[in-house]
Amino acid sequence: MILAFAVFRVLTGPEFMEHLGVPLHATTARTIAMMREGDPPMILLLAPLLAIFYAGELVWKERDLRLASLTGTAPVGGWSILLGKFLGLALVLVAFQSLLVAAGIVVQLLLRAPEIDLRLYAVTFFGLELIGYLVIAVVGIVAQVIAGGKYVGWLAAILAFAIASLAPMVGVEHALLAWQS
């Protein structure tokens, strides 16, 4: 699914790089804006929902297979098992961001951009966005650990994401709710 999204952006990228039939100069900033805010803006929901979904799968996999009692007897702390799950989820999010960067570069190459600013890609996708996605992953894992079931944890994590994302629209701009900004 992650690869399909990157291929979709490569195939539709040149189409979105024009305004009223006039082709735009394929700068890195425009390509990033197209990748993040294209039509439809799927990236704004895809990565957080993937993080929440995989958090549930990672936490509940051993419980579903009834191996939780065996992993509970391991001579390591419970935090190290959760840290390993978080690092695995972080690796998936880094791979997703890497594919988006690769798709953006391919779009720029297809449109014969004179300059590709790799620093801007790194700052945007691995600095600003990745940190927000990692926070969502932590919220997803915490919701799954606290919840009594996988679906309840998914619901709690999605509600937390929705409340934090939609709060500025209704006038709530408290610093504690701005964890994704």
Side-chain angles (χ1 to χ4, degrees), residues 42-100:
M42 293 182 292
I43 189 172
L44 300 177
L45 289 177
L46 184 63
L49 291 179
L50 280 176
I52 291 169
F53 174 75
Y54 285 135
E57 289 298 318
L58 285 173
V59 170
W60 285 91
K61 186 67 169 179
E62 62 197 25
R63 294 179 187 177
D64 287 343
L65 295 175
R66 296 185 181 160
L67 295 175
S69 59
L70 286 175
T71 57
T73 61
V76 294
W79 63 269
S80 63
I81 294 172
L82 280 179
L83 179 65
K85 292 176 182 185
F86 171 72
L87 291 177
L89 187 55
L91 186 62
V92 169
L93 293 171
V94 167
F96 179 70
Q97 295 297 89
S98 300
L99 284 173
L100 287 180

